[in-house]
Amino acid sequence: MALDHFDPRLRTNDLVQELKWDRELRARFETSEAEVLAAYPLTEEERAAIAARDFRRLYHLGLHPYLLSQLARLIYGTGEKAGTSEAATALIRSLLGDEYETYMAARGD
């Protein structure tokens, strides 16, 4: 995944960075995601992609590839929580879209 689509002006990049470093903001995001998203100057397309867990759309909007994985972990769980594999699976499923089943079959899963 290259940086072809990366847009440093995309506010979701800032949101994910702040979620990573601000424990209080992360806690609010977990309990009231819509409220946190409303406090950021995101486009409706960004909000909808986050709400839908559409990581592929976020990538095409300009979210940095590294931050895609960070957002997946923030939403689905991190090393401190059971569910890290759920985060990776959700990210891969979203990024591959219709190609996900073919990818999984090729892996033997």
Side-chain angles (χ1 to χ4, degrees):
M1 188 177 287
L3 295 177
D4 300 344
H5 296 281
F6 174 55
D7 181 355
R9 298 167 299 172
L10 188 77
R11 290 307 307 248
T12 301
N13 288 299
D14 299 329
L15 169 65
V16 176
Q17 288 285 19
E18 290 171 19
L19 284 169
K20 281 177 44 182
W21 298 110
D22 186 332
R23 182 174 289 160
E24 182 181 309
L25 181 62
R26 239 183 354 266
R28 285 196 343 255
F29 184 78
E30 288 179 12
T31 60
S32 185
E33 181 177 320
E35 184 180 299
V36 170
L37 295 179
Y40 278 78
L42 306 174
T43 65
E44 286 307 313
E45 197 169 12
E46 287 172 274
R47 288 179 215 289
I50 294 168
R53 308 312 192 230
D54 189 345
F55 299 103
R56 180 181 225 168
R57 185 72 202 129
L58 288 166
Y59 169 72
H60 286 287
L61 288 171
L63 186 59
H64 191 283
Y66 170 77
L67 295 177
L68 283 169
S69 65
Q70 295 301 304
L71 182 59
R73 287 184 188 104
L74 289 164
I75 290 171
Y76 291 104
T78 63
E80 304 90 60
K81 301 177 185 177
T84 300
S85 63
E86 183 181 354
T89 300
L91 177 61
I92 292 167
R93 179 176 282 129
S94 178
L95 290 172
L96 292 178
D98 295 337
E99 299 170 26
Y100 177 75
E101 297 304 325
T102 303
Y103 167 78
M104 293 304 287
R107 289 188 53 197
D109 294 340

